[in-house]
Amino acid sequence: MTFHRRNDTPKSAVLKRVAAYGILFFILGVAQCSFFTNLSFLSAVPDIVLGAVAAVALLDTQKTAAICGIASGFMIDALGGSGLSLSPIVYFAIALICSELSKKMLQSFLSWIFVLAAASVLNSLFTYAYISLSFENAAFSAVFKSILLPEALTTAVFSLPIFFIVKLCVRIAEAKNKFKM
Amino acid sequence: MKFYKSKFFVICLAVAVLLVLIPSALSIFGYTDIVRSALKTAAKPFEWCASKAADAVSGFVGVFTEYDDLKAENEELRAALEAAENDEYEKEVLREENDWLKSYLKMKTDHPSLLLTDAAIVAREAGNYSTVLTLNRGSVHGIKKNMPVITADGVFGYVSEAGLDWCKVVSIVETASSVSAYTDRGGAVGVVEGDSLLRGDGQCRMIHIDAESDIKIGDKVYTGGTGNIYPDGLLIGTVVSIEANESDRTLVAVVEPAVDFSDINATSRVMIITGYDAGGTQK
């Protein structure tokens, strides 16, 4: 049993894909930077854009995931970041790693949970690296308890439904993977 | 691994690095790149909507999550309010006491020859006007029958009965009350006594005024000091009407007492004159 992803898409399909993902990531970016940041009862802001990047990596091609990662990282920095903007590189790297992980996976919800967990762990590693470089005295236990764990958990919880939204976008863009017996 | 050697990957990596370096460098030097600025501007209305939606959700969720905090805060505020109310009540009591002491001081200054004992009202006659009162001073305090009772405003009445630690006071509007009096302006003399018809209105009358006397509405009426009860020069009230008594060719004036009997209550304080110079007092 083998399967591969379609890399050659017609021009209209590319445009559809750009429009679908553009709108999706824009909405998710605004939601992340303006909606979830204002929810006082959440202990951390969920990185749902990262979840969307991971979902694209699972459901679409590696190239698409890479472009989505760079673009969404730039957008997140533009909407909510200040100072040093590392998100394009971080999201790009996560998109590539998740895409590599999902190459031999079925595009199922179970696979999605695994990819999402991997994306959360990777994001936590990048976050801890950034904190360690910025603050020399940052203790791992304190950072893990107060920043990394809440962020990973909220990201995992709020990103779960994104699998179905991205799947819908993939279907709209006619970029579904071909499955051959 | 083929992907990582492709031109596409190199371009993506270069773009990603540039998107990190250029905005960061511009930010360090205090500039904003035009693409980020445009993106931020385009997102602004959506961000506004999202923040409003977040406020609504937070408010709804807050009903459940902040209940305990709000309850504790409510109890704290209640306690603070109660303390503030008690504080305000104490201030009010002190203010009233201060007013009383000021009026007491003024009376002592105006009438230096009077020996005064302060008293509080402990009971009153049921009715519209408290014209018969019970005070918390009696024989053990040196109070005797027929001692005059005054307030800061003027004459109240006299002690009709003195117990061990209480006494009863009859006001000047009672029919049993009678006091020699004169007016300050024209010097008209007469007797102020209670009248059963005027008592209900808290008034009394001044009788035996010579028909030729110079008396007008608005004249102040003072005690004459010729009786056995009241010293000279204490304010009784003001003339509010005058009429002729055809039977004995004298004038009768209705006097509005300076003391407002309708305003006398349990918190009111009066003074009992326990002694004074035989020569009378100064106005």
Side-chain angles (χ1 to χ4, degrees), chain A residues 18 20 65-66 77 180:
Chain A
V18 168
D77 279 341
K180 288 183 178 176

Side-chain angles (χ1 to χ4, degrees), chain B residues 23-282:
Chain B
S24 300
L26 287 171
S27 174
I28 288 167
F29 291 108
Y31 297 105
T32 306
D33 67 279
I34 193 165
V35 181
R36 285 180 69 159
S37 180
L39 192 59
K40 186 77 182 165
T41 305
K44 207 167 183 182
F46 300 98
E47 286 178 332
W48 183 83
C49 291
S51 64
K52 290 294 173 192
D55 287 345
V57 173
S58 289
F60 177 73
V61 175
V63 172
F64 305 100
T65 58
E66 294 170 14
Y67 177 77
D68 290 339
D69 292 340
L70 290 173
K71 193 178 175 185
E73 188 182 353
N74 187 34
E75 283 172 6
E76 278 179 24
L77 290 172
R78 274 175 191 272
L81 180 65
E82 198 172 324
E85 282 177 348
N86 286 340
D87 193 38
E88 185 61 30
Y89 175 77
E90 284 172 12
K91 280 181 185 171
E92 182 66 25
V93 170
L94 287 173
R95 198 177 296 123
E96 283 178 4
E97 189 176 345
N98 189 43
D99 290 343
W100 155 251
L101 289 171
K102 273 185 182 174
S103 64
Y104 186 86
L105 181 65
K106 182 178 179 294
M107 192 169 292
K108 283 292 284 181
T109 308
D110 290 346
H111 306 284
S113 61
L114 300 181
L115 297 175
L116 301 169
T117 297
D118 72 303
I121 297 165
V122 292
R124 54 183 286 183
E125 178 193 52
N128 292 329
Y129 289 96
S130 305
T131 51
V132 178
L133 303 173
T134 303
L135 307 182
N136 64 346
R137 293 284 185 267
S139 56
V140 292
H141 305 102
I143 307 303
K144 293 174 185 168
K145 190 179 176 183
N146 290 335
M147 281 184 169
V149 178
I150 59 174
T151 71
D153 297 322
V155 175
F156 185 93
Y158 67 95
V159 175
S160 62
E161 189 180 354
L164 192 66
D165 59 349
W166 58 270
C167 64
K168 282 197 171 180
V169 178
V170 172
S171 75
I172 54 171
V173 297
E174 287 295 315
T175 51
S177 172
S178 178
V179 50
S180 64
Y182 65 91
T183 60
D184 60 341
R185 190 187 57 80
V189 295
V191 174
V192 173
E193 65 175 19
D195 183 273
S196 57
L197 295 175
L198 295 171
R199 179 187 172 279
D201 296 327
Q203 294 175 329
C204 50
R205 61 178 185 169
M206 185 174 174
I207 57 171
H208 302 317
I209 305 167
D210 191 272
E212 303 300 320
S213 296
D214 179 11
I215 185 168
K216 285 183 179 176
I217 292 171
D219 284 352
K220 300 284 184 189
V221 181
Y222 291 90
T223 53
T226 55
N228 293 325
I229 298 177
Y230 298 99
D232 177 31
L234 298 176
L235 179 64
I236 295 174
T238 308
V239 175
V240 292
S241 67
I242 303 163
E243 56 188 47
N245 186 348
E246 296 295 336
S247 61
D248 59 359
R249 296 177 60 81
T250 58
L251 298 175
V252 177
V254 175
V255 177
E256 180 80 44
V259 177
D260 183 3
F261 294 103
S262 66
D263 196 34
I264 297 294
N265 53 50
T267 61
S268 301
R269 296 173 77 111
V270 296
M271 282 174 282
I272 304 167
I273 300 173
T274 53
Y276 57 93
D277 289 345
T281 61
Q282 299 294 318

Side-chain angles (χ1 to χ4, degrees), chain A residues 64-134:
Chain A
T64 307
I67 293 169
C68 285
I70 295 168
S72 60
F74 177 74
M75 183 191 67
I76 284 296
D77 279 341
L79 294 179
S82 60
L84 196 60
S85 305
L86 291 171
S87 298
I89 286 277
V90 172
Y91 281 41
F92 176 55
I94 291 173
L96 293 181
I97 294 168
C98 287
S99 195
E100 287 295 332
L101 283 174
S102 59
K103 265 182 181 172
K104 291 183 180 177
M105 285 183 188
L106 288 171
Q107 295 171 343
S108 63
F109 191 73
L110 198 64
S111 305
W112 161 238
I113 291 171
F114 179 77
V115 171
L116 181 60
S120 293
V121 170
L122 287 168
N123 190 42
S124 296
L125 287 175
F126 280 115
T127 305
Y128 182 65
Y130 180 76
I131 292 170
S132 299
L133 291 172
S134 303

Side-chain angles (χ1 to χ4, degrees), chain A residues 50-65:
Chain A
L50 177 81
V53 170
V56 172
L58 175 68
L59 299 170
D60 212 322
T61 64
Q62 195 169 27
K63 282 183 180 178
T64 307

